[in-house]
Amino acid sequence: MSQMSSEFLLYITQDGEAKIEVRLENETVWLNLKQMSELFQRDKSVISRHIRNLFKEGELHRNSVVANFATTASDGKVYQIDYFNLDVIISVGYRVKSLRGTQFRIWATQRLKEYLIKGFVLNDKLEFSHLKPA
């Protein structure tokens, strides 16, 4: 996937238990496996199994919903990490029957609509979500 500039939004779950930095790029939002695990409150192996099944069953096609982005870890090293777009996030959310997943879908859809109309996203907690380009 071609690298374009990215924006990052901070998603805070309604219960306030999790704060997840969400990548906004190519007119969709992206989360990695660890972030999806935190969002849905399920083990990474459960999320990974659901993602594999999405592809195996033909619900989604990997090459159109997965992107590999460079991510800096807490140790300062840069790693290439698979990120999954909103289509995957929604599909996994239905499979794990997660209230948090439904809340996230609503939030993400609202942010995407705002971005597509205005060209930027206002964040209620922060002034602008136009935080940092990739």
Side-chain angles (χ1 to χ4, degrees):
M1 175 164 289
S2 65
Q3 187 66 18
M4 300 176 70
S5 68
S6 297
E7 295 181 28
F8 295 87
L9 304 173
L10 184 62
Y11 176 70
I12 302 171
T13 57
Q14 287 186 5
D15 60 13
E17 300 264 327
K19 294 176 176 78
I20 301 169
E21 188 177 77
V22 179
R23 180 184 289 264
L24 174 62
E25 186 171 317
N26 297 331
E27 299 179 356
T28 190
V29 296
W30 300 87
L31 295 177
N32 62 39
L33 189 61
K34 180 180 175 190
Q35 292 169 317
M36 288 176 63
S37 175
E38 182 177 4
L39 174 66
F40 296 128
Q41 297 175 299
R42 302 291 192 278
D43 189 80
K44 286 194 310 187
S45 64
V46 171
I47 302 301
S48 181
R49 179 172 31 90
H50 284 302
I51 292 170
R52 274 193 315 275
N53 287 337
L54 290 171
F55 300 144
K56 187 171 87 174
E57 295 165 9
E59 181 176 338
L60 297 171
H61 300 282
R62 182 176 177 79
N63 60 348
S64 62
V65 296
V66 179
N68 195 264
F69 297 117
T71 303
T72 305
S74 58
D75 62 5
K77 293 181 182 176
V78 177
Y79 297 93
Q80 294 295 321
I81 305 290
D82 282 342
Y83 279 75
F84 304 92
N85 78 4
L86 186 58
D87 294 333
V88 175
I89 299 164
I90 290 170
S91 293
V92 170
Y94 285 129
R95 288 172 182 244
V96 299
K97 297 172 182 61
S98 168
L99 175 61
R100 272 191 176 180
T102 301
Q103 293 166 345
F104 178 82
R105 176 184 48 79
I106 292 166
W107 174 88
T109 302
Q110 290 170 342
R111 302 291 90 65
L112 288 171
K113 284 181 185 175
E114 186 176 352
Y115 181 79
L116 292 173
I117 292 168
K118 297 178 183 176
F120 62 90
V121 179
L122 289 176
N123 192 325
D124 295 336
K125 302 276 187 270
L126 306 170
E127 286 291 309
F128 281 91
S129 62
H130 213 80
L131 297 179
K132 53 187 173 183

